[in-house]
Amino acid sequence: FSVAAAAARAEIEQEPFLETTEGTGINITCSHSKIRIDEMICWYHQLPGKGPELLVSIHKDSKELPDSAGHVWMSADRRWSWLWLAEPRRGDAAVYYCALG
């Protein structure tokens, strides 16, 4: 199964394409070096034929995804965040976005 990644703003960078096998965890990295102190990072996924759906938003530290599907972490300097999908299934194949919010 494959994961496409897209940045919602020019100051954000992600890998354009990641791939894993079903059940094998995958880490998606997002760089946001110009994040402001009042901004959060929002992670979305967009399934084929659907609109974007918010997975999680984070201001610092880490947060678990709904249904224990994985975690999102933010670096201490808030310039990086990572979305970890613990045991992805074929139904999780989607475009994953990080955005400043």
Side-chain angles (χ1 to χ4, degrees):
F1 109 88
S2 61
V3 170
R9 200 160 109 183
E11 292 89 348
I12 290 181
E13 293 182 7
Q14 290 178 250
E15 301 99 337
F17 185 82
L18 296 171
E19 197 166 48
T20 188
T21 56
E22 189 171 18
T24 301
I26 190 168
N27 197 47
I28 306 171
T29 302
C30 180
S31 165
H32 32 81
S33 60
K34 295 183 180 179
I35 189 170
R36 296 190 307 259
I37 192 68
D38 61 332
E39 288 182 309
M40 300 183 76
I41 286 293
C42 302
W43 282 90
Y44 297 84
H45 72 161
Q46 186 171 6
L47 297 169
K50 303 284 178 90
E53 180 182 350
L54 179 66
L55 287 173
V56 66
S57 58
I58 187 170
H59 187 262
K60 62 179 182 176
D61 300 327
S62 67
K63 191 181 283 189
E64 190 169 325
L65 295 181
D67 302 323
S68 300
H71 262 85
V72 62
W73 288 270
M74 185 176 288
S75 63
D77 64 8
R78 303 185 71 239
R79 292 174 179 240
W80 296 86
S81 60
W82 300 269
L83 175 67
W84 169 252
L85 302 177
E87 293 183 3
R89 301 292 172 214
R90 289 194 183 275
D92 295 320
V95 177
Y96 288 79
Y97 300 88
C98 67
L100 295 172

